[in-house]
Amino acid sequence: MKKFNILFIFILIVGLYSCKDDFLDTEPANSISTEQVASTPAANEAILRGIYANLRTSGIGNPARVDVDYGQKAMMAYADMLGHDIVLNNFNWYIFVYNYNGRQQTSSRTNIIWNTYYTAIADANSVINGLIDKADRDAAEDALLGQALSIKAFSLFNLVRFYSDTYIGNESSPGVPVTDRVDFEGKGRGTVQDVYDAIIPDLELAKTLLDGYSRANKQEIDQSVVQGFLANVYLETGNWQGAADNAAAARTGYSLMPGEQYATDGWDNINNAEWMWGADIDNLTSTTFISFFSHFDSTAGGYGGVGFGFGFKMIDARLYEQIPLTDLRRDAWIDPVEGNPNFPASDGYIGYANVKFIDETFFEGDYSYMRAAEMWLIEAEAKARLSDATAADVLFELVSNRDPGYVKSTNTGMALVEEVYLQRRIELWGEGVAWFDLKRLKKPMNRTGAGSNHRSFGLIDIEPGGNFFKMQIPQGELNSNPNIGPTDQNP
């Protein structure tokens, strides 16, 4: 088991001192000004490298509130901590997300989300503006433009899901600001439809621009990643054929890891066969204790797990009990009765604690943003909604890899959709989809039901479509943007 050191004690003191859920300025950090719009391939490449770096860097969303601000992986963690499949075992880091105080307009948490993605949009726009109207773009410039368009669309997709209602049935609800300029100040919210009308064409164009592009590594976006974005967007908007087609295309060329590897992999190596997009973390890019593994690795001695405070991220007991005994994924959590000899109670480990995420280095574990397994699940759900007879086959291909006892489903239609949803909850636990799925599927968030192991400070239920399914727009945006006033705020 990893041990504490002096650096951790120092960071701990700083973190505790700053733990008040205070408001900080919401102006975007590290964005590119209009005067800096790139006009050369080298400049555009540098801007894109900077965007990718920001997505794995601490302090971009709020430099003075960094303990839960470490880029895209932090945003994914927010989207899980807001749901009911992860249990925070004590009043610890992520408490203000878990108990929903962080959704308030004066909270640094909502500020972090807003700034992280609008910073990426501002920087991506500087590349887009320099290349979109260029008549003589070459293949290299097409690839740069495709990546920039993808980053902008991906960021808008996350923003509209965090700050607005889900798409289906809410197309006319308030959206988030959309701009084609580097300077995005002054834009109104528009509608949810307006946002998706900006997202989808950009992704479709990016898919074309990236056709044939061979990326240097999985930290870059290529066509398969864009297809993964489109699969998720079309699933959100109800374009089931588009979701199925793009998911199938996205996973082409990727394979599933052996089922036995699921509970032992640690999810810390970008070379995993299933990883489609992520960040390769090393000693130069590590953000140490301000990182995903510090919060989610039960063994690391960081902010979570057997570190100070024992802030385990645990699985909801009701979900755990739905995982069959034959399912190899069940070992990604400590059984509350049988325990786990590798993580004994004598060392502080507790039942339901996750041992899925384990960094074997000193906070140099890589970050996964997208996995091929999710594409199998998207394809299966979309085909089930289309009454495609192959939907159960797609689901069987994934689940039988994880559970040798799994029998191909005989469910069809919405019954099969519900089965896919259960598999999403198990397979993608801790990977940033839980809260978004509740919104998309119009399900309640339920932490108080029978068998729940959620703690008293997190016993919150939300009806489908409830106000708490939307973050509030940061106070700084309300103060500085004349087109978004108090009456435009989410309740």
Side-chain angles (χ1 to χ4, degrees), residues 5-212:
N5 61 23
I6 296 299
L7 177 60
F8 173 69
I9 300 300
F10 172 76
I11 293 176
L12 171 65
I13 292 170
V14 173
L16 289 175
Y17 180 78
S18 64
C19 198
K20 183 171 68 69
D21 199 32
D22 53 352
F23 164 73
L24 291 163
D25 187 17
T26 61
E27 289 301 308
N30 299 339
S31 60
I32 307 299
S33 68
T34 303
E35 292 76 17
Q36 294 172 309
V37 171
S39 59
T40 68
N44 284 315
E45 289 173 10
I47 293 168
L48 283 170
R49 284 197 300 271
I51 297 171
Y52 289 132
N54 282 353
L55 290 177
R56 54 165 165 74
T57 299
S58 64
I60 299 301
N62 196 325
R65 173 76 270 175
V66 295
D67 46 22
V68 291
D69 180 10
Y70 45 89
Q72 171 59 18
K73 203 65 177 175
M75 305 301 101
M76 296 167 72
Y78 288 7
D80 277 315
M81 297 304 301
L82 289 165
H84 56 215
D85 287 340
I86 292 184
V87 175
L88 184 62
N89 82 300
N90 67 20
F91 202 93
N92 209 301
W93 282 272
Y94 275 104
I95 181 59
F96 296 121
V97 180
Y98 184 64
N99 69 9
Y100 277 76
N101 285 330
R103 73 172 289 273
Q104 298 172 3
Q105 64 192 50
T106 54
S107 170
S108 60
R109 274 66 178 176
T110 187
N111 184 47
I112 288 169
I113 299 169
W114 190 268
N115 279 2
T116 294
Y117 289 125
Y118 273 118
T119 296
I121 289 170
D123 292 351
N125 269 341
S126 65
V127 177
I128 294 167
N129 290 345
L131 293 175
I132 193 69
D133 294 323
K134 188 176 180 182
D136 58 344
R137 286 195 313 268
D138 58 24
E141 289 173 322
D142 278 352
L144 293 171
L145 177 58
Q147 290 175 74
L149 289 166
S150 302
I151 289 166
K152 179 179 179 180
F154 168 76
S155 299
L156 280 173
F157 182 49
N158 284 301
L159 284 162
V160 75
R161 291 192 296 170
F162 269 115
Y163 293 95
S164 303
D165 294 310
T166 191
Y167 178 88
I168 297 175
N170 300 294
E171 294 87 343
S172 298
S173 296
V176 294
V178 179
T179 179
D180 292 324
R181 299 180 297 113
V182 172
D183 179 7
F184 59 83
E185 292 181 310
K187 291 287 185 178
R189 294 189 66 175
T191 66
V192 169
Q193 183 73 61
D194 292 333
V195 181
Y196 283 92
D197 284 347
I199 291 170
I200 293 172
D202 278 358
L203 287 177
E204 289 289 359
L205 176 57
K207 183 169 69 170
T208 299
L209 292 169
L210 290 169
D211 187 23

Side-chain angles (χ1 to χ4, degrees), residues 166-379:
T166 191
Y167 178 88
I168 297 175
N170 300 294
E171 294 87 343
S172 298
S173 296
V176 294
V178 179
T179 179
D180 292 324
R181 299 180 297 113
V182 172
D183 179 7
F184 59 83
E185 292 181 310
K187 291 287 185 178
R189 294 189 66 175
T191 66
V192 169
Q193 183 73 61
D194 292 333
V195 181
Y196 283 92
D197 284 347
I199 291 170
I200 293 172
D202 278 358
L203 287 177
E204 289 289 359
L205 176 57
K207 183 169 69 170
T208 299
L209 292 169
L210 290 169
D211 187 23
Y213 170 65
S214 180
R215 60 184 173 178
N217 53 64
K218 290 184 183 179
Q219 297 189 99
E220 298 179 16
I221 293 171
D222 69 356
Q223 188 183 59
S224 72
V225 176
V226 178
Q227 289 163 333
F229 292 159
L230 277 166
N232 272 288
V233 169
Y234 285 140
L235 196 68
E236 188 87 20
T237 58
N239 181 343
W240 312 128
Q241 193 64 60
D245 291 345
N246 278 280
R251 66 180 176 88
T252 300
Y254 297 92
S255 60
L256 293 171
M257 72 177 94
E260 295 82 1
Q261 189 178 340
Y262 185 95
T264 61
D265 181 72
W267 305 91
D268 65 341
N269 192 331
I270 200 168
N271 294 317
N272 183 305
E274 291 187 16
W275 288 27
M276 298 174 62
W277 182 42
D280 190 353
I281 309 296
D282 57 23
N283 63 334
L284 296 177
T285 57
S286 170
T287 51
T288 60
F289 293 96
I290 306 164
S291 67
F292 176 77
F293 285 101
S294 176
H295 287 283
F296 276 76
D297 181 353
S298 296
T299 75
Y303 288 153
V306 291
F308 182 87
F310 292 84
F312 291 105
K313 308 304 184 293
M314 304 155 57
I315 189 171
D316 185 302
R318 298 164 298 182
L319 175 58
Y320 182 77
E321 296 307 323
Q322 294 183 73
I323 305 175
L325 294 175
T326 55
D327 196 321
L328 299 168
R329 295 172 297 188
R330 191 177 171 97
D331 288 337
W333 301 273
I334 296 175
D335 189 276
V337 177
E338 302 296 331
N340 187 316
N342 297 317
F343 309 99
S346 59
D347 284 348
Y349 295 99
I350 61 177
Y352 300 116
N354 101 83
V355 288
K356 175 179 177 177
F357 303 108
I358 296 179
D359 174 21
E360 296 296 337
T361 65
F362 183 71
F363 298 118
E364 295 176 22
D366 300 334
Y367 289 168
S368 170
Y369 302 150
M370 181 186 291
R371 283 200 296 125
E374 183 183 4
M375 299 302 115
W376 263 271
L377 291 162
I378 292 174
E379 184 182 356

